[in-house]
């Protein structure tokens, strides 16, 4: 079995409610949470923030 070429690491902490902040190994920080239909469906409050899946879709090019 071959070894992984790259392993992504991030530290995630709760800011408030569903708001989370991740710090990547590069030092970049990203905020995420909930918004739109997911927020409405579960009747959640707080600020509108990108879902983690939004970052995955953006990274994959749309």
């Amino acid at each position: 079995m071959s070894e992984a070429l790259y392993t992504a690491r991030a530290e995630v902490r709760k800011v408030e409610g569903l708001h989370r902040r991740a710090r990547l190994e590069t030092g970049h920080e990203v905020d995420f949470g909930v918004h739109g239909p997911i927020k409405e469906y579960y009747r959640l409050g707080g600020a509108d923030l990108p879902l983690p899946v939004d970052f995955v879709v953006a990274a994959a090019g749309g």
Side-chain angles (χ1 to χ4, degrees), residues 11-28:
E11 180 181 303
V12 180
R13 65 182 174 88
K14 180 179 179 176
V15 175
E16 181 180 18
L18 297 170
H19 182 181
R20 302 289 187 270
R21 180 166 293 140
R23 183 175 176 84
L24 310 177
E25 257 185 341
T26 60
H28 293 88

Side-chain angles (χ1 to χ4, degrees), residues 2-62:
S2 61
E3 292 186 30
L5 181 63
Y6 175 75
T7 302
R9 291 186 171 79
E11 180 181 303
V12 180
R13 65 182 174 88
K14 180 179 179 176
V15 175
E16 181 180 18
L18 297 170
H19 182 181
R20 302 289 187 270
R21 180 166 293 140
R23 183 175 176 84
L24 310 177
E25 257 185 341
T26 60
H28 293 88
E29 290 187 337
V30 293
D31 291 330
F32 54 92
V34 295
H35 69 93
I38 303 291
K39 187 176 175 181
E40 291 174 22
Y41 181 81
Y42 290 105
R43 299 179 184 168
L44 301 170
D48 285 343
L49 293 165
L51 292 155
V53 70
D54 293 326
F55 290 102
V56 173
V57 170

